[in-house]
PDB file of all heavy atoms in Angstrom:
ATOM      1  N   GLY A 196      89.520 136.390  68.071  1.00 91.00           N
ATOM      2  CA  GLY A 196      88.918 136.305  66.732  1.00 91.00           C
ATOM      3  C   GLY A 196      89.587 135.258  65.855  1.00 91.00           C
ATOM      4  O   GLY A 196      88.916 134.533  65.112  1.00 91.00           O
ATOM      5  N   PHE A 199      88.503 131.867  67.081  1.00 93.00           N
ATOM      6  CA  PHE A 199      87.076 131.679  66.765  1.00 93.00           C
ATOM      7  C   PHE A 199      86.962 131.256  65.293  1.00 93.00           C
ATOM      8  O   PHE A 199      86.297 130.282  64.951  1.00 93.00           O
ATOM      9  CB  PHE A 199      86.361 133.009  67.018  1.00 93.00           C
ATOM     10  CG  PHE A 199      84.858 132.960  66.946  1.00 93.00           C
ATOM     11  CD1 PHE A 199      84.134 131.815  67.225  1.00 93.00           C
ATOM     12  CD2 PHE A 199      84.143 134.113  66.614  1.00 93.00           C
ATOM     13  CE1 PHE A 199      82.750 131.800  67.167  1.00 93.00           C
ATOM     14  CE2 PHE A 199      82.764 134.109  66.549  1.00 93.00           C
ATOM     15  CZ  PHE A 199      82.065 132.958  66.824  1.00 93.00           C
ATOM     16  N   ARG A 200      87.693 131.976  64.450  1.00 93.00           N
ATOM     17  CA  ARG A 200      87.693 131.658  63.020  1.00 93.00           C
ATOM     18  C   ARG A 200      88.174 130.228  62.772  1.00 93.00           C
ATOM     19  O   ARG A 200      87.620 129.508  61.949  1.00 93.00           O
ATOM     20  CB  ARG A 200      88.630 132.653  62.286  1.00 93.00           C
ATOM     21  CG  ARG A 200      88.723 132.417  60.786  1.00 93.00           C
ATOM     22  CD  ARG A 200      89.921 133.115  60.206  1.00 93.00           C
ATOM     23  NE  ARG A 200      91.173 132.588  60.751  1.00 93.00           N
ATOM     24  CZ  ARG A 200      92.312 133.277  60.807  1.00 93.00           C
ATOM     25  NH1 ARG A 200      92.356 134.521  60.401  1.00 93.00           N
ATOM     26  NH2 ARG A 200      93.406 132.710  61.299  1.00 93.00           N
ATOM     27  N   VAL A 209      83.419 132.921  73.286  1.00 94.00           N
ATOM     28  CA  VAL A 209      83.648 134.267  72.723  1.00 94.00           C
ATOM     29  C   VAL A 209      82.741 135.287  73.416  1.00 94.00           C
ATOM     30  O   VAL A 209      83.119 136.440  73.623  1.00 94.00           O
ATOM     31  CB  VAL A 209      83.446 134.244  71.185  1.00 94.00           C
ATOM     32  CG1 VAL A 209      83.627 135.632  70.603  1.00 94.00           C
ATOM     33  CG2 VAL A 209      84.438 133.290  70.544  1.00 94.00           C
ATOM     34  N   GLY A 245      70.373 142.237  61.477  1.00 98.00           N
ATOM     35  CA  GLY A 245      70.910 140.876  61.349  1.00 98.00           C
ATOM     36  C   GLY A 245      72.234 140.693  62.060  1.00 98.00           C
ATOM     37  O   GLY A 245      72.764 139.586  62.117  1.00 98.00           O
ATOM     38  N   ASP A 246      72.768 141.772  62.611  1.00 98.00           N
ATOM     39  CA  ASP A 246      74.117 141.734  63.177  1.00 98.00           C
ATOM     40  C   ASP A 246      74.069 142.165  64.645  1.00 98.00           C
ATOM     41  O   ASP A 246      73.520 143.228  64.956  1.00 98.00           O
ATOM     42  CB  ASP A 246      75.011 142.698  62.381  1.00 98.00           C
ATOM     43  CG  ASP A 246      76.480 142.380  62.529  1.00 98.00           C
ATOM     44  OD1 ASP A 246      76.900 142.027  63.650  1.00 98.00           O
ATOM     45  OD2 ASP A 246      77.221 142.490  61.535  1.00 98.00           O
ATOM     46  N   ILE A 247      74.636 141.321  65.522  1.00 98.00           N
ATOM     47  CA  ILE A 247      74.578 141.655  66.951  1.00 98.00           C
ATOM     48  C   ILE A 247      75.952 142.023  67.520  1.00 98.00           C
ATOM     49  O   ILE A 247      76.100 142.168  68.728  1.00 98.00           O
ATOM     50  CB  ILE A 247      73.951 140.507  67.773  1.00 98.00           C
ATOM     51  CG1 ILE A 247      74.804 139.241  67.681  1.00 98.00           C
ATOM     52  CG2 ILE A 247      72.522 140.226  67.319  1.00 98.00           C
ATOM     53  CD1 ILE A 247      74.412 138.166  68.691  1.00 98.00           C
ATOM     54  N   HIS A 248      76.953 142.168  66.661  1.00 98.00           N
ATOM     55  CA  HIS A 248      78.278 142.561  67.156  1.00 98.00           C
ATOM     56  C   HIS A 248      78.243 144.043  67.542  1.00 98.00           C
ATOM     57  O   HIS A 248      77.840 144.871  66.723  1.00 98.00           O
ATOM     58  CB  HIS A 248      79.335 142.344  66.068  1.00 98.00           C
ATOM     59  CG  HIS A 248      79.535 140.917  65.695  1.00 98.00           C
ATOM     60  ND1 HIS A 248      78.759 140.286  64.751  1.00 98.00           N
ATOM     61  CD2 HIS A 248      80.409 139.990  66.163  1.00 98.00           C
ATOM     62  CE1 HIS A 248      79.154 139.028  64.643  1.00 98.00           C
ATOM     63  NE2 HIS A 248      80.155 138.815  65.481  1.00 98.00           N
ATOM     64  N   ASP A 249      78.697 144.340  68.753  1.00 96.00           N
ATOM     65  CA  ASP A 249      78.627 145.758  69.134  1.00 96.00           C
ATOM     66  C   ASP A 249      79.876 146.310  69.802  1.00 96.00           C
ATOM     67  O   ASP A 249      79.921 147.485  70.173  1.00 96.00           O
ATOM     68  CB  ASP A 249      77.405 146.025  70.028  1.00 96.00           C
ATOM     69  CG  ASP A 249      77.494 145.334  71.386  1.00 96.00           C
ATOM     70  OD1 ASP A 249      78.439 144.554  71.619  1.00 96.00           O
ATOM     71  OD2 ASP A 249      76.613 145.597  72.222  1.00 96.00           O
ATOM     72  N   ILE A 250      80.894 145.487  69.960  1.00 95.00           N
ATOM     73  CA  ILE A 250      82.072 145.970  70.694  1.00 95.00           C
ATOM     74  C   ILE A 250      82.769 147.103  69.921  1.00 95.00           C
ATOM     75  O   ILE A 250      83.094 148.154  70.485  1.00 95.00           O
ATOM     76  CB  ILE A 250      83.048 144.811  70.973  1.00 95.00           C
ATOM     77  CG1 ILE A 250      82.380 143.826  71.938  1.00 95.00           C
ATOM     78  CG2 ILE A 250      84.352 145.328  71.559  1.00 95.00           C
ATOM     79  CD1 ILE A 250      83.188 142.579  72.208  1.00 95.00           C
ATOM     80  N   GLY A 251      82.979 146.881  68.623  1.00 95.00           N
ATOM     81  CA  GLY A 251      83.649 147.902  67.809  1.00 95.00           C
ATOM     82  C   GLY A 251      82.829 149.177  67.734  1.00 95.00           C
ATOM     83  O   GLY A 251      83.358 150.286  67.869  1.00 95.00           O
ATOM     84  N   SER A 293      77.710 150.113  61.529  1.00 98.00           N
ATOM     85  CA  SER A 293      78.715 149.079  61.774  1.00 98.00           C
ATOM     86  C   SER A 293      78.175 147.729  61.319  1.00 98.00           C
ATOM     87  O   SER A 293      76.990 147.436  61.498  1.00 98.00           O
ATOM     88  CB  SER A 293      79.014 149.042  63.284  1.00 98.00           C
ATOM     89  OG  SER A 293      79.956 148.043  63.571  1.00 98.00           O
ATOM     90  N   LEU A 295      79.760 143.511  61.098  1.00 98.00           N
ATOM     91  CA  LEU A 295      80.907 142.610  61.281  1.00 98.00           C
ATOM     92  C   LEU A 295      80.801 141.342  60.445  1.00 98.00           C
ATOM     93  O   LEU A 295      81.706 140.518  60.451  1.00 98.00           O
ATOM     94  CB  LEU A 295      81.020 142.236  62.772  1.00 98.00           C
ATOM     95  CG  LEU A 295      81.982 143.026  63.660  1.00 98.00           C
ATOM     96  CD1 LEU A 295      83.423 142.687  63.339  1.00 98.00           C
ATOM     97  CD2 LEU A 295      81.783 144.516  63.500  1.00 98.00           C
ATOM     98  N   LEU A 296      79.679 141.173  59.769  1.00 98.00           N
ATOM     99  CA  LEU A 296      79.485 139.939  59.000  1.00 98.00           C
ATOM    100  C   LEU A 296      79.413 140.263  57.513  1.00 98.00           C
ATOM    101  O   LEU A 296      78.820 141.278  57.114  1.00 98.00           O
ATOM    102  CB  LEU A 296      78.173 139.265  59.427  1.00 98.00           C
ATOM    103  CG  LEU A 296      78.065 138.837  60.899  1.00 98.00           C
ATOM    104  CD1 LEU A 296      76.642 138.366  61.219  1.00 98.00           C
ATOM    105  CD2 LEU A 296      79.062 137.728  61.219  1.00 98.00           C
ATOM    106  N   THR A 297      79.987 139.400  56.712  1.00 98.00           N
ATOM    107  CA  THR A 297      79.907 139.611  55.257  1.00 98.00           C
ATOM    108  C   THR A 297      78.447 139.525  54.798  1.00 98.00           C
ATOM    109  O   THR A 297      78.085 140.095  53.777  1.00 98.00           O
ATOM    110  CB  THR A 297      80.758 138.561  54.499  1.00 98.00           C
ATOM    111  OG1 THR A 297      80.521 137.278  55.083  1.00 98.00           O
ATOM    112  CG2 THR A 297      82.229 138.868  54.590  1.00 98.00           C
ATOM    113  N   GLY A 325      83.693 148.359  60.233  1.00 98.00           N
ATOM    114  CA  GLY A 325      83.517 146.963  60.640  1.00 98.00           C
ATOM    115  C   GLY A 325      84.565 146.122  59.923  1.00 98.00           C
ATOM    116  O   GLY A 325      84.954 146.445  58.801  1.00 98.00           O
ATOM    117  N   ALA A 326      84.985 145.050  60.606  1.00 97.00           N
ATOM    118  CA  ALA A 326      86.124 144.261  60.129  1.00 97.00           C
ATOM    119  C   ALA A 326      86.060 143.793  58.671  1.00 97.00           C
ATOM    120  O   ALA A 326      87.071 143.831  57.979  1.00 97.00           O
ATOM    121  CB  ALA A 326      86.338 143.077  61.061  1.00 97.00           C
ATOM    122  N   ARG A 343      88.560 152.529  59.165  1.00 96.00           N
ATOM    123  CA  ARG A 343      89.227 151.272  59.537  1.00 96.00           C
ATOM    124  C   ARG A 343      89.091 150.970  61.034  1.00 96.00           C
ATOM    125  O   ARG A 343      88.914 149.838  61.443  1.00 96.00           O
ATOM    126  CB  ARG A 343      90.707 151.383  59.161  1.00 96.00           C
ATOM    127  CG  ARG A 343      91.495 150.123  59.300  1.00 96.00           C
ATOM    128  CD  ARG A 343      92.950 150.348  58.952  1.00 96.00           C
ATOM    129  NE  ARG A 343      93.592 151.261  59.892  1.00 96.00           N
ATOM    130  CZ  ARG A 343      94.128 152.434  59.559  1.00 96.00           C
ATOM    131  NH1 ARG A 343      94.133 152.835  58.318  1.00 96.00           N
ATOM    132  NH2 ARG A 343      94.687 153.216  60.476  1.00 96.00           N
ATOM    133  N   ASP A 344      89.209 152.015  61.854  1.00 93.00           N
ATOM    134  CA  ASP A 344      89.073 151.816  63.299  1.00 93.00           C
ATOM    135  C   ASP A 344      88.485 153.055  63.942  1.00 93.00           C
ATOM    136  O   ASP A 344      88.161 154.026  63.254  1.00 93.00           O
ATOM    137  CB  ASP A 344      90.420 151.404  63.929  1.00 93.00           C
ATOM    138  CG  ASP A 344      91.505 152.446  63.703  1.00 93.00           C
ATOM    139  OD1 ASP A 344      91.163 153.648  63.615  1.00 93.00           O
ATOM    140  OD2 ASP A 344      92.678 152.069  63.634  1.00 93.00           O
ATOM    141  N   ALA A 345      88.388 153.018  65.267  1.00 92.00           N
ATOM    142  CA  ALA A 345      87.711 154.109  65.968  1.00 92.00           C
ATOM    143  C   ALA A 345      88.484 155.429  65.840  1.00 92.00           C
ATOM    144  O   ALA A 345      87.888 156.499  65.721  1.00 92.00           O
ATOM    145  CB  ALA A 345      87.522 153.728  67.432  1.00 92.00           C
TER     146      ALA A 345
HETATM  147 CO1  LIG B 245      81.196 136.927  65.708  1.00 68.95          CO
HETATM  148  N1  LIG B 245      82.033 136.746  63.952  1.00 68.95           N
HETATM  149  N2  LIG B 245      79.724 135.806  65.115  1.00 68.95           N
HETATM  150  N3  LIG B 245      80.625 137.022  67.548  1.00 68.95           N
HETATM  151  N4  LIG B 245      82.851 137.665  66.131  1.00 68.95           N
HETATM  152  C1  LIG B 245      83.226 137.522  63.690  1.00 68.95           C
HETATM  153  C2  LIG B 245      82.889 138.891  63.108  1.00 68.95           C
HETATM  154  C3  LIG B 245      84.023 136.584  62.671  1.00 68.95           C
HETATM  155  C4  LIG B 245      85.003 137.380  61.747  1.00 68.95           C
HETATM  156  C5  LIG B 245      84.769 135.515  63.487  1.00 68.95           C
HETATM  157  C6  LIG B 245      85.589 134.616  62.615  1.00 68.95           C
HETATM  158  O1  LIG B 245      85.066 133.739  62.002  1.00 68.95           O
HETATM  159  N5  LIG B 245      86.865 134.866  62.596  1.00 68.95           N
HETATM  160  C7  LIG B 245      82.860 135.903  61.928  1.00 68.95           C
HETATM  161  C8  LIG B 245      82.357 136.623  60.672  1.00 68.95           C
HETATM  162  C9  LIG B 245      82.761 135.921  59.402  1.00 68.95           C
HETATM  163  C10 LIG B 245      82.227 136.607  58.198  1.00 68.95           C
HETATM  164  O2  LIG B 245      81.216 137.212  58.154  1.00 68.95           O
HETATM  165  N6  LIG B 245      82.991 136.476  57.150  1.00 68.95           N
HETATM  166  C11 LIG B 245      81.806 135.852  63.015  1.00 68.95           C
HETATM  167  C12 LIG B 245      80.700 134.962  63.015  1.00 68.95           C
HETATM  168  C13 LIG B 245      80.676 133.954  61.889  1.00 68.95           C
HETATM  169  C14 LIG B 245      79.698 135.006  63.995  1.00 68.95           C
HETATM  170  C15 LIG B 245      78.437 134.134  64.076  1.00 68.95           C
HETATM  171  C16 LIG B 245      77.705 133.901  62.739  1.00 68.95           C
HETATM  172  C17 LIG B 245      78.862 132.819  64.753  1.00 68.95           C
HETATM  173  C18 LIG B 245      77.777 131.791  64.883  1.00 68.95           C
HETATM  174  O3  LIG B 245      76.751 132.033  65.449  1.00 68.95           O
HETATM  175  N7  LIG B 245      78.067 130.666  64.320  1.00 68.95           N
HETATM  176  C19 LIG B 245      77.560 134.928  65.060  1.00 68.95           C
HETATM  177  C20 LIG B 245      76.697 135.983  64.339  1.00 68.95           C
HETATM  178  C21 LIG B 245      75.726 136.668  65.230  1.00 68.95           C
HETATM  179  C22 LIG B 245      75.057 137.840  64.533  1.00 68.95           C
HETATM  180  O4  LIG B 245      75.584 138.929  64.531  1.00 68.95           O
HETATM  181  N8  LIG B 245      73.901 137.605  63.940  1.00 68.95           N
HETATM  182  C23 LIG B 245      78.622 135.615  65.868  1.00 68.95           C
HETATM  183  C24 LIG B 245      78.477 135.936  67.220  1.00 68.95           C
HETATM  184  C25 LIG B 245      79.445 136.536  67.987  1.00 68.95           C
HETATM  185  C26 LIG B 245      79.330 136.731  69.499  1.00 68.95           C
HETATM  186  C27 LIG B 245      77.913 137.049  69.973  1.00 68.95           C
HETATM  187  C28 LIG B 245      79.798 135.465  70.181  1.00 68.95           C
HETATM  188  C29 LIG B 245      80.392 137.853  69.754  1.00 68.95           C
HETATM  189  C30 LIG B 245      79.817 139.277  69.693  1.00 68.95           C
HETATM  190  C31 LIG B 245      79.649 139.900  71.059  1.00 68.95           C
HETATM  191  C32 LIG B 245      79.383 141.377  70.962  1.00 68.95           C
HETATM  192  O5  LIG B 245      79.803 142.075  70.044  1.00 68.95           O
HETATM  193  N9  LIG B 245      78.684 141.854  71.944  1.00 68.95           N
HETATM  194  C33 LIG B 245      81.299 137.686  68.541  1.00 68.95           C
HETATM  195  C34 LIG B 245      82.622 138.215  68.459  1.00 68.95           C
HETATM  196  C35 LIG B 245      83.157 138.860  69.718  1.00 68.95           C
HETATM  197  C36 LIG B 245      83.383 138.155  67.261  1.00 68.95           C
HETATM  198  C37 LIG B 245      84.870 138.515  67.065  1.00 68.95           C
HETATM  199  C38 LIG B 245      85.685 137.396  67.685  1.00 68.95           C
HETATM  200  C39 LIG B 245      85.359 139.824  67.628  1.00 68.95           C
HETATM  201  C40 LIG B 245      84.613 141.068  67.143  1.00 68.95           C
HETATM  202  C41 LIG B 245      85.084 142.232  67.986  1.00 68.95           C
HETATM  203  O6  LIG B 245      84.415 142.607  68.942  1.00 68.95           O
HETATM  204  N10 LIG B 245      86.273 142.745  67.681  1.00 68.95           N
HETATM  205  C42 LIG B 245      84.955 138.560  65.474  1.00 68.95           C
HETATM  206  C43 LIG B 245      86.319 138.245  64.929  1.00 68.95           C
HETATM  207  C44 LIG B 245      87.013 139.441  64.332  1.00 68.95           C
HETATM  208  O7  LIG B 245      86.431 140.482  64.066  1.00 68.95           O
HETATM  209  N11 LIG B 245      88.257 139.277  64.042  1.00 68.95           N
HETATM  210  C45 LIG B 245      83.769 137.816  65.067  1.00 68.95           C
HETATM  211  C46 LIG B 245      86.920 143.820  68.460  1.00 68.95           C
HETATM  212  C47 LIG B 245      86.441 145.181  67.948  1.00 68.95           C
HETATM  213  C48 LIG B 245      87.139 146.298  68.725  1.00 68.95           C
HETATM  214  O8  LIG B 245      86.810 145.272  66.581  1.00 68.95           O
HETATM  215  O9  LIG B 245      84.410 145.059  65.800  1.00 68.95           O
HETATM  216  O10 LIG B 245      86.331 145.125  64.124  1.00 68.95           O
HETATM  217  P1  LIG B 245      85.741 145.547  65.413  1.00 68.95           P
HETATM  218  O11 LIG B 245      85.634 147.144  65.413  1.00 68.95           O
HETATM  219  C49 LIG B 245      86.689 148.012  65.013  1.00 68.95           C
HETATM  220  C50 LIG B 245      86.674 148.354  63.510  1.00 68.95           C
HETATM  221  O12 LIG B 245      86.119 147.349  62.703  1.00 68.95           O
HETATM  222  C51 LIG B 245      85.980 149.669  63.432  1.00 68.95           C
HETATM  223  O13 LIG B 245      86.380 150.301  64.641  1.00 68.95           O
HETATM  224  C52 LIG B 245      86.378 149.329  65.697  1.00 68.95           C
HETATM  225  C53 LIG B 245      87.334 149.750  66.763  1.00 68.95           C
HETATM  226  O14 LIG B 245      88.616 150.039  66.305  1.00 68.95           O
HETATM  227  N12 LIG B 245      84.532 149.738  63.379  1.00 68.95           N
HETATM  228  C54 LIG B 245      83.906 150.888  62.967  1.00 68.95           C
HETATM  229  C55 LIG B 245      83.562 148.864  63.728  1.00 68.95           C
HETATM  230  N13 LIG B 245      82.358 149.378  63.550  1.00 68.95           N
HETATM  231  C56 LIG B 245      82.518 150.631  63.099  1.00 68.95           C
HETATM  232  C57 LIG B 245      81.584 151.604  62.770  1.00 68.95           C
HETATM  233  C58 LIG B 245      82.049 152.823  62.303  1.00 68.95           C
HETATM  234  C59 LIG B 245      83.424 153.075  62.162  1.00 68.95           C
HETATM  235  C60 LIG B 245      84.379 152.110  62.502  1.00 68.95           C
HETATM  236  O15 LIG B 245      81.111 153.738  61.999  1.00 68.95           O
HETATM  237  C61 LIG B 245      81.462 154.961  61.622  1.00 68.95           C
END
Side-chain angles (χ1 to χ4, degrees):
F199 189 28
R200 180 197 63 205
V209 178
D246 201 321
I247 63 168
H248 295 86
D249 66 354
I250 294 175
S293 179
L295 264 288
L296 299 172
T297 44
R343 188 182 65 241
D344 59 31

